[in-house]
């Protein structure tokens, strides 16, 4: 039987430049007496579109075992990278700072995202102690490391995408403020593979093998790099799937079940 869900909308978790940053918090109702792990959801939309409003049922919350926080972050037309990562880190810090009053266990924080959100989730996972990418908005006294990462159809090395991704108007180029070949320093800063000299939390990577937007090789590269760094990584490949997994996707149930099983194993131990 699914739990009822309480939704607290538009909670401010920080301010960056002139932009207030908001998240929605989904909690099981009634809330258990013991603190729950929280999963930070980062929406996709090519770093330029999308919204924190969940596009599917909050299935993690309905189990009664999780709280979910879904965030908005600065779009690439508002600020270029690493602003988006700074905002995601600020959300993690805010959740830790407010853990007691929200019913959250601050030592059990997962992150999950699709597409651009998956890219930011991966970066959150591998830059937990990277002071140069911490930013200073939203509870800067708190750490921003996470305990589990799910990245769905996510880019992991912008410099290896090639083709139309290198054009000045591609989502990736807009993220770094110029055509990828002209912005090599920021491109490498946005590459999760460059931070695996520090311990990484367990990862779950999910990718459609027919993805024409973010090639499946992006997840394969990250899988190999995590394995080489002795990090725990699972990979779910969907042979006939393309890039998007909306409410009508035949793969959505399998994806959700895989994500739930992963978080149960990593965050509920």
């Amino acid at each position: 039987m699914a739990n009822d869900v309480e939704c607290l909308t538009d909670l401010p978790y920080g301010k960056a430049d002139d932009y207030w940053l908001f998240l929605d918090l989904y909690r099981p109702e009634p809330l258990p007496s013991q603190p729950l792990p929280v999963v930070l959801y980062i929406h996709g939309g090519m770093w330029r579109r999308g919204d924190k409003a969940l596009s599917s049922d909050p299935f993690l919350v309905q189990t009664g075992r999780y709280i979910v926080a879904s965030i908005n972050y600065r779009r690439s037309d508002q600020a270029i990278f690493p602003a988006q990562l700074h905002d995601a880190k600020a959300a993690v810090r805010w959740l830790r700072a407010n853990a007691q009053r929200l019913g959250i266990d601050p030592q059990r924080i997962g992150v999950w995202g699709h597409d651009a959100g998956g890219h930011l989730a991966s970066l959150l996972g591998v830059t937990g102690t990277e002071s140069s990418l911490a930013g200073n908005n939203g509870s800067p006294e708190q750490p921003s490391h996470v305990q589990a990462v799910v990245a769905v159809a996510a880019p992991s090395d912008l410099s290896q995408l090639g083709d139309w991704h290198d054009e000045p108007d591609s989502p990736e180029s807009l993220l770094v403020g110029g055509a990828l070949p002209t912005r090599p320093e920021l491109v490498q800063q946005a590459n999760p593979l460059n931070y695996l000299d520090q311990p990484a939390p367990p990862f779950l990577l999910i990718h459609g093998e027919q993805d024409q937007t973010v090639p499946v090789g992006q997840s394969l590269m990250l899988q190999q790099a995590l394995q080489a760094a002795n990090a725990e990584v699972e990979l779910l490949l969907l042979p006939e799937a393309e890039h998007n997994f909306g409410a009508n996707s035949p793969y959505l149930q399998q994806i959700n079940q895989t994500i739930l099983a992963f978080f149960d194993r990593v965050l509920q131990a």
Side-chain angles (χ1 to χ4, degrees), residues 88-102:
K89 285 178 173 286
V92 174
R93 294 193 294 260
W94 184 88
L95 290 168
R96 281 205 165 93
N98 294 277
Q100 185 171 2
R101 73 178 182 88
L102 295 174

Side-chain angles (χ1 to χ4, degrees), residues 44-85:
M46 301 181 292
W47 304 279
R48 204 169 184 84
R49 299 198 300 264
D51 186 75
K52 60 183 170 56
L54 290 182
S55 58
S56 60
D57 292 335
F59 66 95
L60 291 174
V61 186
Q62 290 170 345
T63 67
R65 302 193 296 274
Y66 294 94
I67 292 170
V68 169
S70 182
I71 67 167
N72 274 349
Y73 51 90
R74 281 172 289 173
R75 303 185 306 269
S76 62
D77 59 345
Q78 297 172 317
I80 64 171
F81 187 85
Q84 297 72 25
L85 180 58

Side-chain angles (χ1 to χ4, degrees), residues 6 12 122 207:
E6 173 194 34
S122 295
H207 219 117

Side-chain angles (χ1 to χ4, degrees), residues 150-240:
V150 175
V152 182
S156 61
D157 187 346
L158 306 188
S159 69
Q160 300 269 350
L161 287 167
D163 196 27
W164 59 270
H165 298 277
D166 286 343
E167 297 298 322
D169 59 350
S170 76
E172 297 81 12
S173 294
L174 294 172
L175 175 68
V176 298
L180 295 184
T182 71
R183 307 285 282 176
E185 185 174 338
L186 267 188
V187 168
Q188 291 306 313
Q189 192 179 40
N191 180 352
L193 279 66
N194 288 336
Y195 303 97
L196 292 174
D197 56 345
Q198 54 185 285
F203 268 68
L204 168 63
L205 308 177
I206 300 174
H207 219 117
E209 292 190 38
Q210 305 305 314
D211 192 331
Q212 301 300 309
T213 303
V214 178
V216 66
Q218 293 282 306
S219 282
L220 296 175
M221 280 190 293
L222 183 53
Q223 178 201 28
Q224 293 167 2
L226 288 164
Q227 289 174 335
N230 295 315
E232 180 184 329
V233 56
E234 296 179 29
L235 175 63
L236 172 63
L237 295 180
L238 302 166
E240 303 300 323

